[in-house]
Amino acid sequence: MEGYSLVFISHSKDKTFTRKDGTTYNQIVPTCSSAYNEIIKNMVDIEAYIDVDNGERRLIMRSPDDSIECKCRFKYMAPTIGFSYKSLVNALNEAIDKEALETNNQYVTDE
């Protein structure tokens, strides 16, 4: 509300989880303690992962196979975008515009 954004940054680690049926799976998760991570991930709008593929950095906004802990509160955010502020702003604007069309601007304001 004050015109500032807060960014949390963490390293990542590969963690093994066990499902109720006994099968296991791995997921890339932040290295910060679980207590901090639970608070942070419940208050942020975007939890992204920086991936490097063939020397090109990109932001993973949604993991198609849940192998990476990431999320986005914007329904139409692209799953992967370029690693730049401009790419993030453009993707956010596109996601907001798509949702505005779907809801006839009912939930989108300039405030």
Side-chain angles (χ1 to χ4, degrees), residues 20-62:
K20 290 180 182 179
D21 66 3
T23 60
T24 60
Y25 66 97
N26 286 6
Q27 187 178 48
I28 297 171
V29 298
T31 57
C32 59
S33 74
S34 295
Y36 291 126
N37 193 37
E38 288 304 312
I39 293 168
I40 292 168
K41 75 180 185 180
N42 288 321
M43 66 184 233
V44 298
D45 293 321
I46 298 171
E47 180 183 7
Y49 176 76
I50 301 171
D51 184 46
V52 180
D53 188 20
N54 291 325
E56 184 178 330
R57 293 183 296 178
R58 60 191 179 141
L59 281 174
I60 308 294
M61 309 301 278
R62 289 192 172 83

mmCIF file of all heavy atoms in Angstrom, residues 20-62:
data_model
loop_
_atom_site.group_PDB
_atom_site.id
_atom_site.type_symbol
_atom_site.label_atom_id
_atom_site.label_comp_id
_atom_site.label_asym_id
_atom_site.label_seq_id
_atom_site.Cartn_x
_atom_site.Cartn_y
_atom_site.Cartn_z
ATOM 1 N N LYS A 20 0.820 -40.554 1.593
ATOM 2 C CA LYS A 20 0.110 -41.440 2.531
ATOM 3 C C LYS A 20 0.169 -42.902 2.114
ATOM 4 O O LYS A 20 0.141 -43.788 2.951
ATOM 5 C CB LYS A 20 -1.348 -40.991 2.659
ATOM 6 C CG LYS A 20 -1.510 -39.689 3.396
ATOM 7 C CD LYS A 20 -2.972 -39.293 3.504
ATOM 8 C CE LYS A 20 -3.098 -37.948 4.204
ATOM 9 N NZ LYS A 20 -4.478 -37.505 4.320
ATOM 10 N N ASP A 21 0.248 -43.133 0.785
ATOM 11 C CA ASP A 21 0.293 -44.525 0.312
ATOM 12 C C ASP A 21 1.696 -45.133 0.381
ATOM 13 O O ASP A 21 1.911 -46.271 -0.027
ATOM 14 C CB ASP A 21 -0.268 -44.629 -1.108
ATOM 15 C CG ASP A 21 0.594 -43.915 -2.145
ATOM 16 O OD1 ASP A 21 1.666 -43.370 -1.795
ATOM 17 O OD2 ASP A 21 0.183 -43.894 -3.324
ATOM 18 N N GLY A 22 2.679 -44.355 0.881
ATOM 19 C CA GLY A 22 4.036 -44.863 1.051
ATOM 20 C C GLY A 22 4.985 -44.544 -0.089
ATOM 21 O O GLY A 22 6.191 -44.733 0.037
ATOM 22 N N THR A 23 4.457 -44.088 -1.229
ATOM 23 C CA THR A 23 5.335 -43.729 -2.340
ATOM 24 C C THR A 23 6.029 -42.397 -2.030
ATOM 25 O O THR A 23 5.534 -41.581 -1.250
ATOM 26 C CB THR A 23 4.549 -43.605 -3.659
ATOM 27 O OG1 THR A 23 3.548 -42.591 -3.521
ATOM 28 C CG2 THR A 23 3.899 -44.926 -4.038
ATOM 29 N N THR A 24 7.187 -42.202 -2.632
ATOM 30 C CA THR A 24 7.958 -40.985 -2.379
ATOM 31 C C THR A 24 8.100 -40.167 -3.656
ATOM 32 O O THR A 24 7.960 -40.693 -4.765
ATOM 33 C CB THR A 24 9.362 -41.316 -1.841
ATOM 34 O OG1 THR A 24 10.056 -42.092 -2.802
ATOM 35 C CG2 THR A 24 9.290 -42.069 -0.524
ATOM 36 N N TYR A 25 8.375 -38.888 -3.478
ATOM 37 C CA TYR A 25 8.656 -38.002 -4.606
ATOM 38 C C TYR A 25 9.611 -36.916 -4.134
ATOM 39 O O TYR A 25 9.707 -36.629 -2.947
ATOM 40 C CB TYR A 25 7.368 -37.389 -5.172
ATOM 41 C CG TYR A 25 6.659 -36.436 -4.233
ATOM 42 C CD1 TYR A 25 6.858 -35.063 -4.348
ATOM 43 C CD2 TYR A 25 5.793 -36.889 -3.245
ATOM 44 C CE1 TYR A 25 6.208 -34.172 -3.489
ATOM 45 C CE2 TYR A 25 5.150 -36.023 -2.391
ATOM 46 C CZ TYR A 25 5.353 -34.663 -2.523
ATOM 47 O OH TYR A 25 4.726 -33.790 -1.679
ATOM 48 N N ASN A 26 10.347 -36.337 -5.057
ATOM 49 C CA ASN A 26 11.272 -35.260 -4.757
ATOM 50 C C ASN A 26 10.690 -33.935 -5.238
ATOM 51 O O ASN A 26 9.984 -33.895 -6.249
ATOM 52 C CB ASN A 26 12.622 -35.480 -5.437
ATOM 53 C CG ASN A 26 13.420 -36.568 -4.762
ATOM 54 O OD1 ASN A 26 12.934 -37.230 -3.854
ATOM 55 N ND2 ASN A 26 14.639 -36.764 -5.210
ATOM 56 N N GLN A 27 11.024 -32.873 -4.501
ATOM 57 C CA GLN A 27 10.582 -31.536 -4.881
ATOM 58 C C GLN A 27 11.683 -30.546 -4.515
ATOM 59 O O GLN A 27 12.318 -30.677 -3.467
ATOM 60 C CB GLN A 27 9.279 -31.165 -4.168
ATOM 61 C CG GLN A 27 8.674 -29.870 -4.649
ATOM 62 C CD GLN A 27 7.354 -29.564 -3.957
ATOM 63 O OE1 GLN A 27 7.238 -29.648 -2.746
ATOM 64 N NE2 GLN A 27 6.356 -29.207 -4.753
ATOM 65 N N ILE A 28 11.911 -29.571 -5.377
ATOM 66 C CA ILE A 28 12.850 -28.496 -5.080
ATOM 67 C C ILE A 28 12.123 -27.498 -4.195
ATOM 68 O O ILE A 28 11.050 -27.005 -4.563
ATOM 69 C CB ILE A 28 13.351 -27.834 -6.373
ATOM 70 C CG1 ILE A 28 14.132 -28.847 -7.209
ATOM 71 C CG2 ILE A 28 14.220 -26.613 -6.049
ATOM 72 C CD1 ILE A 28 14.496 -28.372 -8.594
ATOM 73 N N VAL A 29 12.689 -27.220 -3.028
ATOM 74 C CA VAL A 29 12.060 -26.331 -2.043
ATOM 75 C C VAL A 29 13.096 -25.319 -1.542
ATOM 76 O O VAL A 29 14.300 -25.542 -1.663
ATOM 77 C CB VAL A 29 11.492 -27.132 -0.845
ATOM 78 C CG1 VAL A 29 10.411 -28.108 -1.295
ATOM 79 C CG2 VAL A 29 12.592 -27.863 -0.103
ATOM 80 N N PRO A 30 12.643 -24.205 -0.950
ATOM 81 C CA PRO A 30 13.588 -23.233 -0.375
ATOM 82 C C PRO A 30 14.357 -23.843 0.797
ATOM 83 O O PRO A 30 13.851 -24.722 1.498
ATOM 84 C CB PRO A 30 12.689 -22.100 0.120
ATOM 85 C CG PRO A 30 11.417 -22.255 -0.636
ATOM 86 C CD PRO A 30 11.260 -23.726 -0.890
ATOM 87 N N THR A 31 15.574 -23.356 1.026
ATOM 88 C CA THR A 31 16.388 -23.866 2.124
ATOM 89 C C THR A 31 16.084 -23.183 3.447
ATOM 90 O O THR A 31 16.560 -23.634 4.484
ATOM 91 C CB THR A 31 17.893 -23.689 1.844
ATOM 92 O OG1 THR A 31 18.152 -22.305 1.607
ATOM 93 C CG2 THR A 31 18.337 -24.522 0.671
ATOM 94 N N CYS A 32 15.293 -22.109 3.447
ATOM 95 C CA CYS A 32 14.983 -21.456 4.725
ATOM 96 C C CYS A 32 14.195 -22.427 5.609
ATOM 97 O O CYS A 32 13.589 -23.376 5.120
ATOM 98 C CB CYS A 32 14.229 -20.148 4.522
ATOM 99 S SG CYS A 32 12.668 -20.283 3.662
ATOM 100 N N SER A 33 14.207 -22.191 6.902
ATOM 101 C CA SER A 33 13.558 -23.127 7.826
ATOM 102 C C SER A 33 12.059 -23.240 7.515
ATOM 103 O O SER A 33 11.448 -22.305 6.994
ATOM 104 C CB SER A 33 13.759 -22.674 9.268
ATOM 105 O OG SER A 33 12.947 -21.554 9.549
ATOM 106 N N SER A 34 11.491 -24.366 7.837
ATOM 107 C CA SER A 34 10.064 -24.603 7.570
ATOM 108 C C SER A 34 9.181 -23.568 8.242
ATOM 109 O O SER A 34 8.164 -23.152 7.678
ATOM 110 C CB SER A 34 9.671 -26.001 8.037
ATOM 111 O OG SER A 34 10.340 -26.971 7.276
ATOM 112 N N ALA A 35 9.541 -23.139 9.446
ATOM 113 C CA ALA A 35 8.734 -22.143 10.161
ATOM 114 C C ALA A 35 8.654 -20.846 9.363
ATOM 115 O O ALA A 35 7.577 -20.274 9.195
ATOM 116 C CB ALA A 35 9.317 -21.882 11.549
ATOM 117 N N TYR A 36 9.792 -20.377 8.852
ATOM 118 C CA TYR A 36 9.791 -19.155 8.034
ATOM 119 C C TYR A 36 9.096 -19.388 6.705
ATOM 120 O O TYR A 36 8.315 -18.569 6.242
ATOM 121 C CB TYR A 36 11.221 -18.673 7.769
ATOM 122 C CG TYR A 36 11.932 -18.140 8.974
ATOM 123 C CD1 TYR A 36 13.174 -18.648 9.340
ATOM 124 C CD2 TYR A 36 11.383 -17.128 9.755
ATOM 125 C CE1 TYR A 36 13.849 -18.167 10.454
ATOM 126 C CE2 TYR A 36 12.054 -16.648 10.867
ATOM 127 C CZ TYR A 36 13.279 -17.166 11.211
ATOM 128 O OH TYR A 36 13.937 -16.685 12.298
ATOM 129 N N ASN A 37 9.390 -20.521 6.086
ATOM 130 C CA ASN A 37 8.835 -20.801 4.768
ATOM 131 C C ASN A 37 7.306 -20.858 4.799
ATOM 132 O O ASN A 37 6.648 -20.354 3.891
ATOM 133 C CB ASN A 37 9.417 -22.100 4.210
ATOM 134 C CG ASN A 37 9.114 -22.282 2.740
ATOM 135 O OD1 ASN A 37 9.101 -21.325 1.980
ATOM 136 N ND2 ASN A 37 8.865 -23.513 2.348
ATOM 137 N N GLU A 38 6.723 -21.450 5.817
ATOM 138 C CA GLU A 38 5.262 -21.525 5.908
ATOM 139 C C GLU A 38 4.635 -20.132 6.013
ATOM 140 O O GLU A 38 3.605 -19.854 5.411
ATOM 141 C CB GLU A 38 4.840 -22.391 7.097
ATOM 142 C CG GLU A 38 5.095 -23.870 6.908
ATOM 143 C CD GLU A 38 4.436 -24.444 5.663
ATOM 144 O OE1 GLU A 38 3.235 -24.178 5.434
ATOM 145 O OE2 GLU A 38 5.118 -25.152 4.909
ATOM 146 N N ILE A 39 5.255 -19.247 6.778
ATOM 147 C CA ILE A 39 4.746 -17.875 6.909
ATOM 148 C C ILE A 39 4.868 -17.145 5.585
ATOM 149 O O ILE A 39 3.913 -16.536 5.098
ATOM 150 C CB ILE A 39 5.502 -17.118 8.021
ATOM 151 C CG1 ILE A 39 5.191 -17.727 9.379
ATOM 152 C CG2 ILE A 39 5.153 -15.625 8.000
ATOM 153 C CD1 ILE A 39 6.093 -17.248 10.498
ATOM 154 N N ILE A 40 6.045 -17.218 4.983
ATOM 155 C CA ILE A 40 6.309 -16.475 3.744
ATOM 156 C C ILE A 40 5.421 -16.955 2.612
ATOM 157 O O ILE A 40 4.776 -16.156 1.936
ATOM 158 C CB ILE A 40 7.800 -16.596 3.358
ATOM 159 C CG1 ILE A 40 8.662 -15.855 4.376
ATOM 160 C CG2 ILE A 40 8.046 -16.064 1.955
ATOM 161 C CD1 ILE A 40 10.150 -16.157 4.262
ATOM 162 N N LYS A 41 5.351 -18.262 2.378
ATOM 163 C CA LYS A 41 4.606 -18.747 1.212
ATOM 164 C C LYS A 41 3.102 -18.516 1.338
ATOM 165 O O LYS A 41 2.402 -18.503 0.336
ATOM 166 C CB LYS A 41 4.940 -20.202 0.898
ATOM 167 C CG LYS A 41 4.348 -21.232 1.806
ATOM 168 C CD LYS A 41 4.791 -22.607 1.339
ATOM 169 C CE LYS A 41 4.136 -23.694 2.131
ATOM 170 N NZ LYS A 41 4.554 -25.019 1.695
ATOM 171 N N ASN A 42 2.606 -18.313 2.562
ATOM 172 C CA ASN A 42 1.184 -18.021 2.726
ATOM 173 C C ASN A 42 0.853 -16.544 2.573
ATOM 174 O O ASN A 42 -0.311 -16.175 2.535
ATOM 175 C CB ASN A 42 0.689 -18.547 4.075
ATOM 176 C CG ASN A 42 0.591 -20.047 4.086
ATOM 177 O OD1 ASN A 42 0.186 -20.659 3.102
ATOM 178 N ND2 ASN A 42 1.000 -20.666 5.168
ATOM 179 N N MET A 43 1.877 -15.675 2.503
ATOM 180 C CA MET A 43 1.588 -14.251 2.360
ATOM 181 C C MET A 43 2.024 -13.674 1.022
ATOM 182 O O MET A 43 1.631 -12.574 0.679
ATOM 183 C CB MET A 43 2.208 -13.458 3.500
ATOM 184 C CG MET A 43 3.696 -13.449 3.544
ATOM 185 S SD MET A 43 4.270 -12.569 5.008
ATOM 186 C CE MET A 43 5.381 -11.408 4.274
ATOM 187 N N VAL A 44 2.778 -14.409 0.236
ATOM 188 C CA VAL A 44 3.266 -13.860 -1.024
ATOM 189 C C VAL A 44 2.275 -14.093 -2.159
ATOM 190 O O VAL A 44 1.468 -15.024 -2.122
ATOM 191 C CB VAL A 44 4.649 -14.455 -1.404
ATOM 192 C CG1 VAL A 44 5.687 -14.118 -0.361
ATOM 193 C CG2 VAL A 44 4.575 -15.947 -1.626
ATOM 194 N N ASP A 45 2.369 -13.232 -3.170
ATOM 195 C CA ASP A 45 1.541 -13.394 -4.368
ATOM 196 C C ASP A 45 2.220 -14.291 -5.395
ATOM 197 O O ASP A 45 1.571 -14.967 -6.173
ATOM 198 C CB ASP A 45 1.245 -12.039 -5.006
ATOM 199 C CG ASP A 45 0.362 -11.179 -4.131
ATOM 200 O OD1 ASP A 45 -0.571 -11.721 -3.511
ATOM 201 O OD2 ASP A 45 0.602 -9.959 -4.058
ATOM 202 N N ILE A 46 3.549 -14.278 -5.379
ATOM 203 C CA ILE A 46 4.321 -15.082 -6.326
ATOM 204 C C ILE A 46 5.446 -15.784 -5.579
ATOM 205 O O ILE A 46 6.195 -15.159 -4.844
ATOM 206 C CB ILE A 46 4.925 -14.213 -7.449
ATOM 207 C CG1 ILE A 46 3.825 -13.543 -8.266
ATOM 208 C CG2 ILE A 46 5.829 -15.047 -8.349
ATOM 209 C CD1 ILE A 46 4.344 -12.499 -9.243
ATOM 210 N N GLU A 47 5.542 -17.080 -5.771
ATOM 211 C CA GLU A 47 6.675 -17.854 -5.287
ATOM 212 C C GLU A 47 7.273 -18.512 -6.527
ATOM 213 O O GLU A 47 6.674 -19.412 -7.110
ATOM 214 C CB GLU A 47 6.236 -18.911 -4.275
ATOM 215 C CG GLU A 47 7.366 -19.736 -3.736
ATOM 216 C CD GLU A 47 6.911 -20.827 -2.780
ATOM 217 O OE1 GLU A 47 5.693 -21.055 -2.612
ATOM 218 O OE2 GLU A 47 7.798 -21.473 -2.196
ATOM 219 N N ALA A 48 8.415 -18.004 -6.965
ATOM 220 C CA ALA A 48 9.010 -18.461 -8.217
ATOM 221 C C ALA A 48 10.357 -19.117 -7.971
ATOM 222 O O ALA A 48 10.951 -18.976 -6.906
ATOM 223 C CB ALA A 48 9.174 -17.285 -9.178
ATOM 224 N N TYR A 49 10.833 -19.818 -8.985
ATOM 225 C CA TYR A 49 12.112 -20.514 -8.933
ATOM 226 C C TYR A 49 12.934 -20.078 -10.140
ATOM 227 O O TYR A 49 12.432 -20.079 -11.267
ATOM 228 C CB TYR A 49 11.880 -22.024 -8.958
ATOM 229 C CG TYR A 49 13.131 -22.851 -9.008
ATOM 230 C CD1 TYR A 49 13.913 -23.016 -7.861
ATOM 231 C CD2 TYR A 49 13.540 -23.456 -10.185
ATOM 232 C CE1 TYR A 49 15.066 -23.783 -7.896
ATOM 233 C CE2 TYR A 49 14.693 -24.231 -10.228
ATOM 234 C CZ TYR A 49 15.455 -24.383 -9.075
ATOM 235 O OH TYR A 49 16.596 -25.141 -9.117
ATOM 236 N N ILE A 50 14.182 -19.701 -9.911
ATOM 237 C CA ILE A 50 15.061 -19.324 -11.019
ATOM 238 C C ILE A 50 15.722 -20.583 -11.558
ATOM 239 O O ILE A 50 16.411 -21.291 -10.831
ATOM 240 C CB ILE A 50 16.135 -18.315 -10.572
ATOM 241 C CG1 ILE A 50 15.482 -17.055 -10.023
ATOM 242 C CG2 ILE A 50 17.058 -17.978 -11.743
ATOM 243 C CD1 ILE A 50 16.450 -16.103 -9.357
ATOM 244 N N ASP A 51 15.493 -20.844 -12.816
ATOM 245 C CA ASP A 51 16.051 -22.022 -13.474
ATOM 246 C C ASP A 51 17.028 -21.559 -14.545
ATOM 247 O O ASP A 51 16.818 -20.534 -15.188
ATOM 248 C CB ASP A 51 14.924 -22.833 -14.117
ATOM 249 C CG ASP A 51 15.411 -24.121 -14.746
ATOM 250 O OD1 ASP A 51 16.198 -24.842 -14.112
ATOM 251 O OD2 ASP A 51 14.987 -24.408 -15.890
ATOM 252 N N VAL A 52 18.098 -22.310 -14.721
ATOM 253 C CA VAL A 52 19.062 -22.018 -15.781
ATOM 254 C C VAL A 52 19.062 -23.205 -16.735
ATOM 255 O O VAL A 52 19.326 -24.335 -16.332
ATOM 256 C CB VAL A 52 20.477 -21.779 -15.217
ATOM 257 C CG1 VAL A 52 21.446 -21.476 -16.353
ATOM 258 C CG2 VAL A 52 20.470 -20.657 -14.197
ATOM 259 N N ASP A 53 18.721 -22.945 -17.994
ATOM 260 C CA ASP A 53 18.665 -23.992 -19.009
ATOM 261 C C ASP A 53 19.514 -23.540 -20.191
ATOM 262 O O ASP A 53 19.216 -22.523 -20.818
ATOM 263 C CB ASP A 53 17.212 -24.219 -19.430
ATOM 264 C CG ASP A 53 17.044 -25.409 -20.338
ATOM 265 O OD1 ASP A 53 17.925 -26.288 -20.364
ATOM 266 O OD2 ASP A 53 16.003 -25.462 -21.042
ATOM 267 N N ASN A 54 20.571 -24.271 -20.475
ATOM 268 C CA ASN A 54 21.508 -23.922 -21.554
ATOM 269 C C ASN A 54 22.014 -22.488 -21.420
ATOM 270 O O ASN A 54 22.101 -21.750 -22.396
ATOM 271 C CB ASN A 54 20.860 -24.124 -22.928
ATOM 272 C CG ASN A 54 20.622 -25.584 -23.239
ATOM 273 O OD1 ASN A 54 21.402 -26.444 -22.859
ATOM 274 N ND2 ASN A 54 19.536 -25.867 -23.920
ATOM 275 N N GLY A 55 22.303 -22.078 -20.195
ATOM 276 C CA GLY A 55 22.843 -20.743 -19.945
ATOM 277 C C GLY A 55 21.807 -19.638 -19.899
ATOM 278 O O GLY A 55 22.131 -18.487 -19.631
ATOM 279 N N GLU A 56 20.552 -19.962 -20.164
ATOM 280 C CA GLU A 56 19.482 -18.964 -20.161
ATOM 281 C C GLU A 56 18.694 -19.067 -18.854
ATOM 282 O O GLU A 56 18.198 -20.132 -18.502
ATOM 283 C CB GLU A 56 18.539 -19.190 -21.345
ATOM 284 C CG GLU A 56 17.481 -18.135 -21.459
ATOM 285 C CD GLU A 56 16.574 -18.341 -22.664
ATOM 286 O OE1 GLU A 56 17.043 -18.897 -23.679
ATOM 287 O OE2 GLU A 56 15.407 -17.952 -22.577
ATOM 288 N N ARG A 57 18.594 -17.930 -18.140
ATOM 289 C CA ARG A 57 17.834 -17.914 -16.885
ATOM 290 C C ARG A 57 16.372 -17.609 -17.171
ATOM 291 O O ARG A 57 16.043 -16.799 -18.025
ATOM 292 C CB ARG A 57 18.391 -16.851 -15.938
ATOM 293 C CG ARG A 57 19.774 -17.188 -15.447
ATOM 294 C CD ARG A 57 20.287 -16.190 -14.468
ATOM 295 N NE ARG A 57 20.429 -14.888 -15.125
ATOM 296 C CZ ARG A 57 20.821 -13.788 -14.520
ATOM 297 N NH1 ARG A 57 21.115 -13.810 -13.240
ATOM 298 N NH2 ARG A 57 20.940 -12.659 -15.173
ATOM 299 N N ARG A 58 15.509 -18.270 -16.414
ATOM 300 C CA ARG A 58 14.066 -18.041 -16.532
ATOM 301 C C ARG A 58 13.435 -18.231 -15.167
ATOM 302 O O ARG A 58 13.997 -18.882 -14.281
ATOM 303 C CB ARG A 58 13.456 -18.979 -17.562
ATOM 304 C CG ARG A 58 13.652 -20.434 -17.208
ATOM 305 C CD ARG A 58 13.284 -21.351 -18.329
ATOM 306 N NE ARG A 58 13.522 -22.731 -17.909
ATOM 307 C CZ ARG A 58 12.749 -23.735 -18.200
ATOM 308 N NH1 ARG A 58 11.691 -23.562 -18.957
ATOM 309 N NH2 ARG A 58 13.020 -24.943 -17.778
ATOM 310 N N LEU A 59 12.266 -17.657 -15.006
ATOM 311 C CA LEU A 59 11.496 -17.812 -13.769
ATOM 312 C C LEU A 59 10.423 -18.851 -13.988
ATOM 313 O O LEU A 59 9.615 -18.746 -14.914
ATOM 314 C CB LEU A 59 10.825 -16.493 -13.375
ATOM 315 C CG LEU A 59 11.692 -15.454 -12.689
ATOM 316 C CD1 LEU A 59 10.909 -14.161 -12.507
ATOM 317 C CD2 LEU A 59 12.168 -15.951 -11.344
ATOM 318 N N ILE A 60 10.409 -19.857 -13.131
ATOM 319 C CA ILE A 60 9.348 -20.863 -13.152
ATOM 320 C C ILE A 60 8.275 -20.354 -12.194
ATOM 321 O O ILE A 60 8.508 -20.216 -11.000
ATOM 322 C CB ILE A 60 9.860 -22.246 -12.689
ATOM 323 C CG1 ILE A 60 11.110 -22.672 -13.465
ATOM 324 C CG2 ILE A 60 8.747 -23.282 -12.765
ATOM 325 C CD1 ILE A 60 10.895 -22.931 -14.916
ATOM 326 N N MET A 61 7.113 -20.043 -12.714
ATOM 327 C CA MET A 61 6.017 -19.500 -11.920
ATOM 328 C C MET A 61 5.065 -20.601 -11.444
ATOM 329 O O MET A 61 4.432 -20.476 -10.413
ATOM 330 C CB MET A 61 5.229 -18.478 -12.738
ATOM 331 C CG MET A 61 6.104 -17.406 -13.390
ATOM 332 S SD MET A 61 7.058 -16.455 -12.221
ATOM 333 C CE MET A 61 5.849 -15.305 -11.701
ATOM 334 N N ARG A 62 4.951 -21.649 -12.253
ATOM 335 C CA ARG A 62 4.125 -22.809 -11.917
ATOM 336 C C ARG A 62 4.845 -24.051 -12.410
ATOM 337 O O ARG A 62 5.262 -24.120 -13.550
ATOM 338 C CB ARG A 62 2.767 -22.723 -12.609
ATOM 339 C CG ARG A 62 1.864 -21.679 -12.064
ATOM 340 C CD ARG A 62 0.442 -21.880 -12.612
ATOM 341 N NE ARG A 62 -0.471 -21.005 -11.945
ATOM 342 C CZ ARG A 62 -0.662 -19.737 -12.278
ATOM 343 N NH1 ARG A 62 -0.016 -19.221 -13.279
ATOM 344 N NH2 ARG A 62 -1.508 -18.983 -11.622
#
